[in-house]
Amino acid sequence: MELIEQLATLFNESQRTVFFTGAGISTESGIADFRSPGGIWSQIKPIQFKDFLADESIRMEDWRRRFHFQKQFDEAEPNAGHKFVTNCLSYGKGIGLITQNIDGLHQRAGVPDDCIVEIHGNGTKAACLECHSPMALSQAQVLIEREGTAPKCARCDGLVKAAVVSFGQPMPQDKVLAAKELAERSDLFVVIGSSLVVQPAASIPLIAQRNGAKLVILNREATLLDAAADLIIRDPIGETLTQVQTVSASSQ
Ligand SMILES: [Zn+2]
């Protein structure tokens, strides 16, 4: 209970909380962590961005995988962890959310689009790689079934791809910048369900800390930034945050 009380106190004292979420928050909704040992990328080879650009059969395989993941995302429901983050952003002192997740569960839990920075993109949408015109996944699916080829943009004939950052694809610099700016403004930076291995994930919490923010890491496994953290909790996410909410409400 002591850790819960410490975290509740940090939330109560904060005026500008920023959340950083990774796969661990969504595994409690039944979504597989595809980068973890035993995850899907240890069973099937990830598709590299350059191969998507070069090869039609690889594009078709990428779409097959996309629709497979989408089915998993559609069947999942946001959990207590997602709801805690939404509450803090809507009614508390949360100023923003940075997420590595592409499953759209934060939005389905009620986080408005302008509160969220999706540094790895969003797997529930697609867009033209040239002119960035959006295409619904359902429309991409219809086109693939009708034409038997990977969809092209109606406006410029460019390749359409799920709006996620693929392996070997450059990070969207506007998103990285927005994430860094949020980190700079925060006085409490809460990492939830990320091992902080992939860049820029590993550096963003340190930006917050350099600007005076307290750093909390709520993750099942050890992370690379544990030594820098002000508070580390390894317990299940939804359960922990539900307890924090109760303690927080009773002390106000
Ligand atoms: Zn286009």
Side-chain angles (χ1 to χ4, degrees), residues 13-53:
E13 287 172 355
S14 166
Q15 298 300 321
R16 298 179 309 280
T17 304
V18 169
F19 295 95
F20 184 106
T21 63
I25 193 168
S26 290
T27 51
E28 292 184 11
S29 287
I31 292 176
D33 175 4
F34 53 86
R35 285 177 198 265
S36 75
I40 192 154
W41 297 140
S42 63
Q43 297 153 29
I44 55 170
K45 227 174 105 199
I47 291 171
Q48 298 293 322
F49 183 56
K50 65 172 170 38
D51 298 328
F52 181 95
L53 295 180

Side-chain angles (χ1 to χ4, degrees), residues 87-214:
N87 275 338
C88 191
L89 291 169
S90 304
Y91 311 111
K93 291 170 283 188
I95 59 166
L97 161 67
I98 303 159
T99 188
Q100 298 174 290
N101 297 341
I102 58 165
D103 54 37
L105 283 183
H106 280 299
Q107 288 92 333
R108 280 175 52 202
V111 175
D113 277 338
D114 61 356
C115 269
I116 183 166
V117 180
E118 297 175 297
I119 52 176
H120 291 169
N122 185 313
T124 70
K125 303 172 188 167
C128 170
L129 287 172
E130 303 297 328
C131 74
H132 309 293
S133 291
M135 181 185 284
L137 278 196
S138 54
Q139 194 195 344
Q141 194 156 20
V142 168
L143 287 173
I144 289 168
E145 277 162 14
R146 201 173 67 201
E147 316 284 341
T149 57
K152 296 261 183 80
C153 175
R155 209 170 106 189
C156 78
D157 207 38
L159 289 174
V160 174
K161 181 178 157 300
V164 299
V165 179
S166 296
F167 286 82
Q169 184 175 8
M171 295 288 297
Q173 284 313 304
D174 56 332
K175 300 265 175 69
V176 175
L177 194 65
K180 287 180 175 171
E181 281 172 2
L182 264 182
E184 281 171 6
R185 285 169 54 213
S186 74
D187 65 2
L188 175 63
F189 196 90
V190 184
V191 176
I192 304 174
S194 173
S195 301
L196 303 171
V197 174
V198 198
Q199 282 296 354
S203 59
I204 290 171
L206 294 176
I207 294 173
Q209 210 176 32
R210 265 205 304 277
N211 282 269
K214 293 270 193 328

